């Protein structure tokens, strides 16, 4: 994985924290995180649990535990959806899933490439880790960068974390775990490959980060057109409960509606700012609609989305006015 | 495409301020230091910046100069910066620099028939003060400062375009648009495709950047000169407020890079085009 022989931040931190010069480093490098996430599972149904992520950005306080994780009990063993932000989280998740189901972990699905969903992979056998071809490729391309970003954002919680690539490639279809059949739906929009899981037994739809509820959606790898189509498709699947990637699991259309509304709001606001000739900082100062006040991290994610979307608008929409003279 | 830049390098991060601190001690000349007001941001490079950019001239801190940077740096290679020195009358030159960048000078705007306002995106190597120094006719530098909190790596990362084999064919393609503002100025946004290589990236690509944009109207009526340096982001995208004479229908842009290539553009700018609303005021 390493692309150069230069030491990464992790190598340097690992070496320095153990050495006599540790006291010379800025204090924030040395803040020791608590040793446990203290995961607790919320029972959603017979043999289905959710570990709720915090409705926050990734910080050194929350250790990156911001995404929802789902555990299914099946006759083949525990089935887990997403592994969380770190090795430590993955290990606690593995232990909790085994305790809840009384069985070893049979399968771990990864919904998409984002770091708050995949850096617990280390706690599981690579053969048990399953993802689409697009996710495996995405992790190969982006994984190292995500690792560095996570070390920076979550700090000591990441100690010992390395990215493990899934060895099982899955496509759309049904996976049979004996008493529980899971339908795998491959979509895109939040990223280039988003896996959605429908549990036939419970009627639950595990939507991954295609759905955010009461927390602003993130767009670093999004295609908003594809995302809106995915939301329409999800709305066409009858389900008893929708588990979003972030936010409460509900038997309602709130998650789908709110995610669509958020996407349309940032599209309109950002496009409107661009059409007036504003720059990114001026666009960042614009007011957001009142309804977004109830959405966690609304302004934070709006500002991030500006960085993702504005350069694309400039490249695509500013008229060509000249070129190289010679 | 990465959410946060991966090329964080602790050695660079620690080494630059350390070397800078040594330089400060080495070059600190009492004559310069005595005239330079203390830095509200306590930058270790402030004295060195004073010597580099102000050379003994009178310097005052001017909080009324707005230097706006985002609260969240999502991409260290594309940090949006907006500088507005309209509160200072008679600005003849506007210099933007970042103390803790490996290359501190970012750009210089000489507004002839233009507002002392510029927005653009820049690369940062670590958290750094970002400053805008406005020179007035009496020889005084008015300095606005803000601290940009960032993780770094933007200057030593190769340009994204380098991933495309045929990037050189698109160099110099320019895009732009003008909006007449309610106050009579023309808001001009201009983007030019260029890798803006710093010469500091790990794959040893030499410095290659657009160094000058000359904006004129009509028969060469000078509106503004924008000198760009290596820290300006790939595909420079600038916003300027120009006083285009009312009879003119276009803003011409003549560009030149440090390899001697020249670039020509003409941005339509007539009274027929106008913005719907004034731009919002930004502040931090």
């Amino acid at each position: 994985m390493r692309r150069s022989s230069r030491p990464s931040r992790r190598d340097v931190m690992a070496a320095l924290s153990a050495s006599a010069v540790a006291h010379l480093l800025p204090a924030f490098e040395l803040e020791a995180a608590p040793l446990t996430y203290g995961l607790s599972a919320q029972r959603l149904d017979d043999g289905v649990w959710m570990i709720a992520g915090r409705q926050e950005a990734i910080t050194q306080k929350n250790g990156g535990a911001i995404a929802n994780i789902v555990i299914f009990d099946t006759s083949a063993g525990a089935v887990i959806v997403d592994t969380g932000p770190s090795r430590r989280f993955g290990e606690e998740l593995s232990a909790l899933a085994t305790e809840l189901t009384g069985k070893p972990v049979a399968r771990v699905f990864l919904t998409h490439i984002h770091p708050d969903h995949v850096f617990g992979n280390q706690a599981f056998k690579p053969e048990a880790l399953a993802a689409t071809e697009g996710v495996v490729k995405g992790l190969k391309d982006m994984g190292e960068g995500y690792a560095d970003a996570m070390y920076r954002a979550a700090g000591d919680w990441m100690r010992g974390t390395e990215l493990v690539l899934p060895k099982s490639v899955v496509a759309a279809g049904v996976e049979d775990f004996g008493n529980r059949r899971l339908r795998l739906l491959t979509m895109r929009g939040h990223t280039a490959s988003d896996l959605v899981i429908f549990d036939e037994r419970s009627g639950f739809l595990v939507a991954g980060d295609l759905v955010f509820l009461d927390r602003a959606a993130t767009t670093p790898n999004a295609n908003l057109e594809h995302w809106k189509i995915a939301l329409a498709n999800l709305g066409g699947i009858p389900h008893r409960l929708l588990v979003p990637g972030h936010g409460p699991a509900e038997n309602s259309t709130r998650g789908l509606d709110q995610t669509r509304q958020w996407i349309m709001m940032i599209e309109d606001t950002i496009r409107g700012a661009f059409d007036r000739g504003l720059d990114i900082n001026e666009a960042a100062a614009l007011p957001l609609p009142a309804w977004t006040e109830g959405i966690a991290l609304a302004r934070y994610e709006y500002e991030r989305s500006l960085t993702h979307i504005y350069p694309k608008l400039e490249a695509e929409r500013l008229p060509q006015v000249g070129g190289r003279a010679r | 495409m990465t959410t946060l830049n991966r090329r964080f390098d602790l050695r660079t991060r620690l080494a630059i301020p350390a070397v800078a601190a040594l330089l400060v001690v080495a070059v600190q000349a009492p004559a310069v230091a005595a005239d330079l007001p203390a830095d509200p941001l306590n930058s270790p490079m402030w004295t060195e910046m004073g010597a580099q950019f102000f050379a003994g001239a009178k310097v005052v801190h001017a909080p009324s100069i707005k230097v706006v940077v985002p609260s969240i740096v999502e991409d260290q290679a594309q940090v949006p910066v907006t500088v507005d020195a309209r509160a200072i009358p008679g600005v003849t030159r506007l210099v933007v620099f970042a103390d803790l960048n490996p290359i501190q000078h970012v750009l210089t705007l000489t507004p002839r028939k233009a507002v002392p306002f510029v927005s653009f995106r820049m690369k940062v190597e670590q958290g750094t003060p970002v400053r805008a120094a406005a020179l007035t006719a009496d020889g005084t530098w008015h300095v606005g400062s803000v601290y940009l909190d960032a993780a770094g790596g933007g200057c030593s990362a190769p340009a994204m375009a380098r991933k495309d084999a045929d990037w050189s064919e698109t160099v110099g393609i320019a895009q732009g648009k003008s909006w007449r503002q309610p106050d009579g100025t023309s808001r001009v946004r201009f983007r030019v495709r260029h890798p803006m290589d710093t010469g500091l990236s790990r794959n040893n690509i030499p410095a290659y950047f657009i160094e000058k944009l000359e904006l004129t109207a009509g028969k060469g009526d000078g509106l503004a000169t924008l000198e760009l340096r290596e820290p300006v982001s790939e595909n420079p995208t600038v916003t300027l407020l120009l006083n285009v004479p009312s009879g003119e229908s276009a803003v011409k842009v003549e560009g030149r890079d440090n390899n001697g290539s020249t670039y020509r553009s003409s941005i339509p700018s007539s009274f027929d085009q106008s913005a719907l609303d004034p731009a919002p005021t930004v502040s931090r």
Side-chain angles (χ1 to χ4, degrees):
Chain A
M1 286 296 293
R2 190 113 320 143
R3 287 182 193 158
S4 76
S5 58
R6 301 178 69 156
S8 73
R9 174 178 168 83
R10 274 166 289 154
D11 299 332
V12 172
M13 280 175 71
L16 289 181
S17 61
S19 77
V21 297
H23 66 280
L24 296 175
L25 286 169
F28 67 86
E29 302 281 14
L30 298 173
E31 274 176 19
L35 290 172
T36 173
Y37 283 92
L39 299 185
S40 68
Q42 168 192 353
R43 185 181 170 280
L44 301 178
D45 194 47
D46 184 28
V48 187
W49 297 267
M50 178 175 97
I51 299 167
R54 288 176 174 277
Q55 300 279 67
E56 297 170 358
I58 296 165
T59 66
Q60 299 203 5
K61 201 171 173 201
N62 62 33
I66 63 167
N68 291 338
I69 311 291
V70 177
I71 300 167
F72 290 108
D73 182 13
T74 77
S75 46
V79 174
I80 298 173
V81 183
D82 286 340
T83 64
S86 65
R87 173 185 191 151
R88 197 178 287 181
F89 187 101
E91 285 166 355
E92 287 179 43
L93 170 62
S94 176
L96 182 58
T98 307
E99 182 194 321
L100 289 169
T101 61
K103 296 165 193 149
V105 176
R107 196 65 142 159
V108 181
F109 293 103
L110 304 177
T111 57
H112 66 293
I113 58 172
H114 285 158
D116 47 329
H117 298 259
V118 300
F119 274 106
N121 284 6
Q122 249 170 314
F124 306 96
K125 293 194 191 87
E127 296 75 21
L129 295 165
T132 63
E133 205 174 351
V135 167
V136 176
K137 182 183 179 303
L139 287 175
K140 277 181 191 158
D141 291 347
M142 313 273 277
E144 189 77 353
Y146 283 153
D148 284 354
M150 284 298 288
Y151 268 80
R152 198 157 54 230
D156 194 40
W157 292 91
M158 299 302 293
R159 200 189 304 159
T161 303
E162 293 285 345
L163 181 65
V164 172
L165 292 173
K167 283 218 170 145
S168 299
V169 174
V170 295
V174 176
E175 288 222 9
D176 195 336
F177 295 94
N179 66 341
R180 199 180 288 276
R181 280 160 50 94
L182 300 179
R183 284 182 181 270
L184 309 183
L185 311 166
T186 51
M187 298 191 178
R188 58 184 176 160
H190 175 65
T191 65
S193 178
D194 298 295
L195 182 67
V196 172
I197 297 172
F198 179 75
D199 172 27
E200 291 183 354
R201 181 177 168 133
S202 65
F204 288 5
L205 190 59
V206 181
D209 278 9
L210 285 169
V211 178
F212 285 74
L213 182 53
D214 299 335
R215 193 255 194 235
T218 68
T219 60
N221 308 103
N223 178 312
L224 301 185
E225 290 310 309
H226 292 164
W227 198 339
K228 284 185 285 188
I229 293 166
L231 289 168
N233 287 338
L234 286 172
I237 302 166
H239 54 272
R240 236 182 84 213
L241 188 89
L242 189 142
V243 183
H246 298 260
E250 285 189 6
N251 177 17
S252 79
T253 61
R254 275 205 325 129
L256 293 170
D257 295 343
Q258 200 186 80
T259 305
R260 185 183 304 108
Q261 200 181 355
W262 175 267
I263 291 171
M264 289 168 69
M265 185 279 292
I266 58 169
E267 272 185 321
D268 288 352
T269 308
I270 294 174
R271 180 69 190 275
F274 174 81
D275 285 346
R276 286 166 55 195
L278 305 189
D279 75 8
I280 289 181
N281 288 319
E282 290 166 329
L286 293 174
L288 296 181
W291 65 266
T292 63
E293 280 165 23
I295 312 283
L297 299 168
R299 184 149 291 276
Y300 173 83
E301 294 299 348
Y302 166 67
E303 287 187 27
R304 289 184 71 203
S305 292
L306 275 170
T307 312
H308 308 144
I309 293 168
Y310 231 72
K312 287 183 199 159
L313 285 177
E314 289 161 347
E316 289 165 12
R317 301 201 170 268
L318 284 175
Q320 192 170 329
V321 292
R324 179 142 51 173
R326 63 175 173 84
Chain B
M1 284 296 286
T2 44
T3 317
L4 289 158
N5 202 288
R6 67 175 170 274
R7 293 172 188 84
F8 185 93
D9 187 326
L10 192 63
R11 284 187 302 179
T12 310
R13 199 182 131 187
L14 293 177
I16 290 172
V19 170
L22 290 174
L23 278 174
V24 168
V25 172
V27 303
Q28 203 162 23
V32 173
D35 296 353
L36 200 62
D39 175 24
L41 299 178
N42 285 319
S43 162
M45 287 288 278
W46 175 240
T47 310
E48 159 61 18
M49 294 297 95
Q52 183 175 330
F53 293 103
F54 311 131
K58 188 184 173 193
V59 176
V60 294
H61 289 294
S64 60
I65 296 179
K66 290 176 194 158
V67 185
V68 183
V69 296
S71 51
I72 313 143
V73 171
E74 180 72 1
D75 181 352
Q76 284 75 13
Q78 295 276 345
V79 180
V81 179
T82 306
V83 172
D84 186 344
R86 273 178 279 193
I88 308 292
V91 174
T92 59
R93 208 186 307 164
L94 190 60
V95 179
V96 180
F97 61 92
D99 301 22
L100 300 184
N101 246 14
I103 299 167
Q104 291 95 22
H105 188 187
V106 182
L107 61 79
T108 295
L109 171 71
T110 306
R112 296 194 180 82
K113 290 181 180 170
V115 173
F117 171 100
V118 59
S119 91
F120 57 95
R121 294 198 282 274
M122 67 177 284
K123 295 165 264 199
V124 294
E125 193 62 22
Q126 62 175 98
T128 175
V130 179
R131 306 189 198 261
L135 180 66
T136 47
D138 64 353
T140 303
W141 288 98
H142 308 255
V143 182
S145 305
V146 69
Y147 186 79
L148 173 74
D149 196 1
C155 283
S156 53
M160 293 293 287
R162 294 284 179 191
K163 291 175 185 169
D164 297 331
D166 59 351
W167 65 270
S168 64
E169 289 171 22
T170 60
V171 165
I173 292 178
Q175 297 165 273
K177 195 173 173 182
S178 163
W179 292 258
R180 289 278 182 171
Q181 302 290 285
D183 63 3
T185 61
S186 292
R187 169 175 284 255
V188 170
R189 302 203 73 219
F190 180 73
R191 172 183 192 262
V192 54
R193 297 272 286 270
H194 204 283
M196 298 298 283
D197 294 310
T198 58
L200 303 175
S201 70
R202 288 182 186 176
N203 46 13
N204 296 323
I205 293 166
Y208 176 45
F209 58 97
I210 290 196
E211 55 185 10
K212 197 171 188 183
L213 297 173
E214 193 76 52
L215 295 103
T216 58
K219 297 172 186 65
D221 212 358
L223 302 174
T225 304
L226 195 56
E227 291 163 61
L228 308 181
R229 296 298 305 270
E230 296 93 321
V232 173
S233 297
E234 180 179 6
N235 302 332
T237 305
V238 300
T239 307
L240 294 167
L241 296 173
L242 306 172
N243 295 312
V244 181
S246 51
E248 300 300 341
S249 59
V251 171
K252 290 186 183 129
V253 187
E254 293 249 346
R256 188 184 72 214
D257 68 26
N258 68 330
N259 271 15
S261 291
T262 53
Y263 306 89
R264 284 199 193 103
S265 306
S266 179
I267 305 166
S269 177
S270 73
F271 271 117
D272 297 339
Q273 299 162 313
S274 67
L276 296 173
D277 308 292
T281 304
V282 292
S283 59
R284 293 203 64 79

